Amino acid sequence: QVQLVESGGGSVQTGGSLTLSCQAYGPTYSIYYMAMGWFRQAPGKEREGVAAIEPGRRPTLYADSVKGRFTISQDNAKKTLYLQMNSLKPEDTAMYYCAADPGARRSLVSSDYPYWGQGTQVTVSS
């Protein structure tokens, strides 16, 4: 069983930056081999994939809306996933969730991920 706890959300102005963290709890060997992803959901909208990362050589995947602004990374020793968010826009406002997939294939499809955190709120004001 894997538990995920997000942190780092907050309120920033347009153009600002935030770094989200996702602490994973569970067997280290299983977490190391999992694909991890960040998703977001704004009020009244469907949950959308933002970024994902595979284990091993760590290839990444980004939604077009965040390419060049967001960076996903992982510290295996700390069992922590990060999302560095720069040049934030009001449309980035949402609840952000991290997710883990034992299948180890990076994906922006929420149904591919069985493990989810509770989310952290990001609000970007104009």
Side-chain angles (χ1 to χ4, degrees):
Q1 185 71 16
V2 175
Q3 292 184 321
L4 304 171
V5 179
E6 303 95 335
S7 62
S11 297
V12 296
Q13 292 188 330
T14 298
S17 298
L18 281 174
T19 300
L20 305 184
S21 299
C22 173
Q23 179 70 53
Y25 298 91
T28 299
Y29 69 90
S30 63
I31 292 171
Y32 182 80
Y33 293 108
M34 285 187 176
M36 305 288 290
W38 285 101
F39 291 76
R40 66 186 182 187
Q41 188 167 18
K45 294 187 177 182
E46 292 187 356
R47 189 170 296 188
E48 64 170 337
V50 174
I53 187 168
E54 281 188 8
R57 297 177 66 182
R58 310 276 177 233
T60 57
L61 181 65
Y62 294 94
D64 289 342
S65 58
V66 306
K67 281 181 181 177
R69 300 189 298 122
F70 291 10
T71 303
I72 188 171
S73 61
Q74 188 169 351
D75 184 329
N76 286 319
K78 296 181 179 179
K79 295 195 288 186
T80 302
L81 180 73
Y82 301 99
L83 185 67
Q84 174 67 44
M85 305 186 296
N86 298 324
S87 303
L88 283 162
K89 305 174 182 180
E91 50 264 44
D92 295 318
T93 295
M95 184 72 78
Y96 282 72
Y97 301 88
C98 73
D101 172 27
R105 294 295 302 272
R106 67 191 190 281
S107 167
L108 298 182
V109 178
S110 59
S111 59
D112 288 340
Y113 292 83
Y115 300 114
W116 290 86
Q118 295 300 308
T120 186
Q121 177 68 38
V122 172
T123 303
V124 184
S125 58
S126 58

